[in-house]
Amino acid sequence: MSTKRISLTQYLIEQQRGEAQIPAQLRLLIEVVARACKRIAINVNKGALGDVLGSAGSENVQGEVQKKLDVIANEVLIEANEWGGHLAGMASEEMDDMLAVPNRYPQGEYLLLFDPLDGSSNIDINVSIGTIFSVLKHQGGPVTNESFLQPGTAQVCAGYCVYGPQTTLVLTVGKGVVMFTLDREQGSWVMTEDNVRIPEDTKEFAINMSNMRHWATPVKRYIDECLAGKDGPRGKDFNMRWVAAMVADVHRIMTRGGIFMYPWDKREPNKPGKLRLMYEANPMSFLVEQAGGVATNGLQRIMEIQPTQLHERVSVMLGSRNEVDLVTRYHQELK
Ligand code: AHG
Ligand code: MN
Ligand code: MN
């Protein structure tokens, strides 16, 4: 085995010692989340051999049916994080309200937000799923839901773990994006990419085309022009992918570029979109920007949105710079 392998622990210790040091509590937080993702991966891999498939028979605060793995992943993340002294509180897509760290444990400086299991509809069909997380600094005082209502620009760390053919952890602490692959024999995370860059141009888009008739004009215009291919205004043919797990779609974009969109549409006109700002859009936007990409809601940078509620939704367009800029311009022109 090569001696050049860099583990997640080594990477984090080097970051802690480096010029723009990451604090010890943040290092611990990342290690704990990574360990929790390993446990989630073990549960995911059991599939039909463990009691992990199918519905949990409950609904979350957003009225979505919870799968067993949504609940398991949520519990794994809570249990792993509540006692270490690095957190003041946690908020999750699967919990109505935030959870303050119990009094019996020391209170730390950070707030952790997560989508414990992204792409739930893929669980039972054995297609890629993931975990997404975001870290904020607690601004002091008692921890309440309001403590979490900080814009994405306040994030100090964000990441996701994709449970696919490989289990991969992708991370930013605001100094670029690094990827680690789980070595199952060793049980450790090994760095496999240390400077992820999203190409500025792409010929690949990701959107749920079945909603086309409900889209707003700028989205329809952008996709129509892509579909027109070589003979259309874009002068090139486009390819399409849709995994139905944001983690997997974003991971493809991190790897080879592309644009991902889950825009507002007319099905539920009063909701700004389907995806959640705090657990999905903000952490993914931080990662995408750190890899040289762009993330907007069509009109503004997602990370600059001031959240007003924990479970707030948002329209999302992210990925390769020139494509996201174009569809954002189409929105701004019609404003
Ligand atoms: P979750 O499983 O956490 O509820 O998220 C699913 C999200 C996102 O990951 C994905 O891009 C999108 O929902 C898929 O939605 P459609 O089924 O409408 O395509
Ligand atoms: Mn999700
Ligand atoms: Mn989820």
Side-chain angles (χ1 to χ4, degrees):
M1 190 180 297
S2 159
T3 49
K4 284 190 193 141
R5 286 161 58 117
I6 297 175
S7 67
L8 175 65
T9 303
Q10 186 180 346
Y11 168 77
L12 291 172
I13 287 175
E14 280 167 6
Q15 292 297 312
Q16 198 184 327
R17 287 191 195 133
E19 247 171 63
Q21 295 178 6
I22 65 162
Q25 268 192 25
L26 183 57
R27 174 167 79 85
L28 176 63
L29 186 161
I30 296 167
E31 295 243 39
V32 171
V33 170
R35 205 178 310 140
C37 288
K38 247 191 263 180
R39 275 190 60 195
I40 296 171
I42 290 166
N43 281 290
V44 166
N45 292 152
K46 283 181 188 157
L49 300 177
D51 189 19
V52 300
L53 300 184
S55 161
S58 47
E59 273 192 3
N60 66 15
V61 65
Q62 299 148 78
E64 296 162 341
V65 174
Q66 290 177 307
K67 295 284 173 74
K68 282 184 191 156
L69 261 183
D70 289 320
V71 177
I72 293 169
N74 196 57
E75 279 166 8
V76 167
L77 280 158
I78 293 169
E79 276 174 28
N81 278 287
E82 66 183 357
W83 52 271
H86 52 285
L87 287 187
M90 289 177 253
S92 161
E93 186 183 284
E94 302 302 340
M95 300 193 291
D96 297 10
D97 291 297
M98 68 89 213
L99 189 78
V101 162
N103 287 335
R104 59 184 183 280
Y105 302 121
Q107 212 199 55
E109 290 173 30
Y110 294 99
L111 301 172
L112 176 65
L113 301 96
F114 44 84
D115 174 356
L117 213 292
D118 176 68
S120 302
S121 71
N122 284 352
I123 297 170
D124 295 353
I125 58 168
N126 197 3
V127 175
S128 292
I129 48 181
T131 296
I132 312 173
F133 67 96
S134 163
V135 184
L136 297 165
K137 199 98 196 269
H138 179 45
Q139 301 300 319
V143 193
T144 63
N145 283 350
E146 284 65 41
S147 313
F148 291 79
L149 302 183
Q150 304 178 32
T153 48
Q155 293 172 104
V156 293
C157 170
Y160 65 79
C161 182
V162 51
Y163 313 109
Q166 305 112 43
T167 299
T168 308
L169 182 72
V170 180
L171 195 69
T172 185
V173 288
K175 285 175 277 169
V177 177
V178 279
M179 285 187 187
F180 299 86
T181 302
L182 183 60
D183 178 336
R184 284 177 186 273
E185 278 119 68
Q186 303 282 336
S188 64
W189 296 103
V190 179
M191 189 191 280
T192 41
E193 194 68 61
D194 70 350
N195 181 24
V196 179
R197 301 307 292 167
I198 299 174
E200 291 189 354
D201 291 300
T202 180
K203 291 177 169 186
E204 201 160 62
F205 65 84
I207 191 165
N208 185 337
M209 292 286 288
S210 69
N211 298 322
M212 186 182 244
R213 69 191 183 286
H214 306 295
W215 292 341
T217 312
V219 175
K220 180 118 187 6
R221 174 181 174 193
Y222 174 78
I223 296 295
D224 280 348
E225 289 180 1
C226 292
L227 295 176
K230 253 199 174 78
D231 305 326
R234 303 300 310 277
K236 58 182 183 182
D237 290 331
F238 280 77
N239 188 18
M240 194 199 87
R241 288 286 186 273
W242 186 251
V243 187
M246 185 192 203
V247 159
D249 280 310
V250 168
H251 192 63
R252 184 185 60 255
I253 290 171
M254 288 289 184
T255 310
R256 68 178 187 210
I259 176 170
F260 169 92
M261 286 186 278
Y262 209 120
W264 169 91
D265 67 45
K266 290 177 201 136
R267 283 174 300 169
E268 289 185 276
N270 298 328
K271 276 190 194 164
K274 175 179 180 181
L275 299 180
R276 275 90 8 166
L277 177 62
M278 308 303 287
Y279 319 111
E280 294 169 320
N282 268 341
M284 289 311 202
S285 298
F286 190 19
L287 286 156
V288 163
E289 286 194 7
Q290 284 291 315
V294 178
T296 78
N297 66 355
L299 293 171
Q300 77 178 116
R301 187 180 170 213
I302 285 176
M303 291 220 290
E304 285 176 1
I305 296 172
Q306 174 59 52
T308 56
Q309 342 165 19
L310 209 45
H311 299 290
E312 184 163 332
R313 299 188 188 241
V314 66
S315 184
V316 175
M317 286 146 225
L318 58 78
S320 290
R321 173 174 296 279
N322 292 335
E323 295 302 313
V324 180
D325 282 350
L326 183 64
V327 72
T328 303
R329 181 155 66 74
Y330 289 173
H331 280 81
Q332 284 162 346
E333 277 171 13
L334 269 186
K335 211 168 89 172

